[in-house]
């Protein structure tokens, strides 16, 4: 069951990070912007790793 939730969690992480990046920058502190960028890059890395792991030899 948890294996079927991972893609959804990664997509939600990327969606929320993208929304955070598209907001006007005046509303977020510098630390919050770094956290948003970190979440976005982490989501990309996890998504890429999952796609590589799913490839059949």
């Amino acid at each position: 069951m948890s294996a079927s939730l991972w893609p959804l969690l990664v997509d939600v992480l990327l969606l929320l990070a993208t929304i955070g990046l598209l907001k006007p920058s005046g509303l977020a502190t510098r630390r919050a912007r770094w956290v948003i960028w970190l979440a976005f890059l982490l989501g990309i890395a996890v998504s890429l790793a999952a796609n590589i792991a799913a490839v059949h030899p």
Side-chain angles (χ1 to χ4, degrees):
M1 169 136 169
S2 66
S4 62
L5 291 178
W6 275 105
L8 180 63
L9 292 174
V10 171
D11 288 343
V12 169
L13 175 66
L14 284 171
L15 177 67
L16 292 176
T18 302
I19 290 170
L21 289 173
L22 293 176
K23 279 186 175 180
S25 61
L27 300 176
T29 63
R30 182 179 294 228
R31 183 175 182 185
R33 297 291 291 175
W34 278 105
V35 170
I36 292 169
W37 270 106
L38 181 64
F40 182 74
L41 295 174
L42 181 65
I44 294 291
V46 170
S47 179
L48 181 63
N51 286 329
I52 291 171
V55 172
H56 298 287

